[in-house]
Amino acid sequence: GENVEQHPSTLSVQEGDSAVIKCTYSDSASNYFPWYKQELGKRPQLIIDIRSNVGEKKDQRIAVTLNKTAKHFSLHITETQPEDSAVYFCAARAPSNTGKLIFGQGTTLQVKP
Amino acid sequence: NAGVTQTPKFQVLKTGQSMTLQCAQDMNHEYMSWYRQDPGMGLRLIHYSVGAGITDQGEVPNGYNVSRSTTEDFPLRLLSAAPSQTSVYFCASSRLAGGATGELFFGEGSRLTVL
């Protein structure tokens, strides 16, 4: 089955710097790659996603890139702000009608003011 | 819309006790799932369902049972709780049909402690 590895497990940056989180997946058939943000004590919420027919997607300060050949995808956050501090999860889903989503281990991002 | 509702939010059990975590969604989502969240382990899929009467195992199904008698409800049963099942449990649902994005909507979570 699908396996998703996420790195780093923790990341600390200064406010205004960029942050990059990387994930690799094992199932070459996977075609949907979302990123979720979980603030302390809250539920995970979708922040951005990308499909396998697209190489990059941006939404204001966040972007996701996908390299299908290498089977990895990354989350880029520019001009980080303290409110970006949270746990970020990547995930992957293979094409089927099951909807099954497999998550990475999570990255705790700390943005220092 | 209430979205995805989980109960209870907190529960303490003794080893060997049984309990059911309830999950209900009012978005008419076909897909429902249960995850457990442990430090450093991410969100691990326990069981999932693509519709009423259909369930399947995820990554860590041992010790848990599920059923899906209606579209709205997807309870998770612990038949004989063990300390290793101490965790935060999330129920999540999404649409599957009609070109849906598949975005997962999560409940607020249920924190379970097994002594």
Side-chain angles (χ1 to χ4, degrees):
Chain A
E2 176 67 280
N3 183 52
V4 179
E5 296 288 333
Q6 182 173 347
H7 299 281
S9 57
T10 60
L11 181 58
S12 181
V13 300
Q14 289 294 135
E15 182 177 358
D17 287 350
S18 295
V20 180
I21 304 170
K22 299 181 179 181
C23 290
T24 60
Y25 60 97
S26 61
D27 188 347
S28 58
S30 289
N31 65 348
Y32 176 64
F33 308 93
W35 287 87
Y36 284 77
K37 176 183 180 182
Q38 185 182 30
E39 296 176 351
L40 189 61
K42 301 289 183 64
R43 72 190 84 187
Q45 292 190 300
L46 180 71
I47 55 171
I48 195 168
D49 57 13
I50 192 168
R51 297 188 181 277
S52 59
N53 58 349
V54 175
E56 183 176 4
K57 184 177 179 180
K58 291 183 180 180
D59 184 3
Q60 299 182 348
R61 294 187 298 107
I62 60 173
V64 57
T65 58
L66 171 65
N67 183 327
K68 288 189 294 182
T69 302
K71 292 191 288 186
H72 68 70
F73 56 111
S74 301
L75 178 71
H76 304 254
I77 306 174
T78 59
E79 301 173 17
T80 54
Q81 300 167 3
E83 52 263 39
D84 294 329
S85 296
V87 179
Y88 292 81
F89 293 99
C90 63
R93 188 181 72 203
S96 69
N97 59 359
T98 70
K100 186 170 65 172
L101 205 58
I102 301 300
F103 284 85
Q105 296 84 352
T107 296
T108 301
L109 173 64
Q110 181 186 27
V111 180
K112 299 178 182 177
Chain B
N1 279 355
V4 180
T5 303
Q6 285 181 237
T7 56
K9 289 187 170 52
F10 301 94
Q11 183 72 49
V12 179
L13 291 177
K14 294 181 179 178
T15 297
Q17 287 185 317
S18 63
M19 77 156 299
T20 299
L21 296 175
Q22 301 291 346
C23 176
Q25 53 89 12
D26 61 359
M27 298 174 282
N28 202 30
H29 285 170
E30 299 92 344
Y31 178 83
M32 296 187 74
S33 56
W34 279 101
Y35 289 88
R36 60 176 290 174
Q37 182 175 18
D38 304 289
M41 304 292 284
L43 294 158
R44 291 183 292 171
L45 182 63
I46 303 172
H47 285 286
Y48 66 98
S49 168
V50 298
I54 305 170
T55 64
D56 206 347
Q57 296 181 347
E59 302 168 277
V60 287
N62 292 342
Y64 307 95
N65 280 352
V66 292
S67 60
R68 185 93 180 268
S69 56
T70 67
T71 300
E72 295 78 20
D73 300 298
F74 191 47
L76 179 71
R77 297 183 184 85
L78 285 71
L79 298 179
S80 180
S84 60
Q85 294 178 304
T86 293
S87 188
V88 178
Y89 292 84
F90 285 98
C91 180
S93 71
S94 70
R95 283 209 64 198
L96 287 179
T101 63
E103 176 183 355
L104 270 184
F105 292 84
F106 284 83
E108 291 185 306
S110 300
R111 183 175 293 275
L112 175 66
T113 301
V114 183
L115 303 175

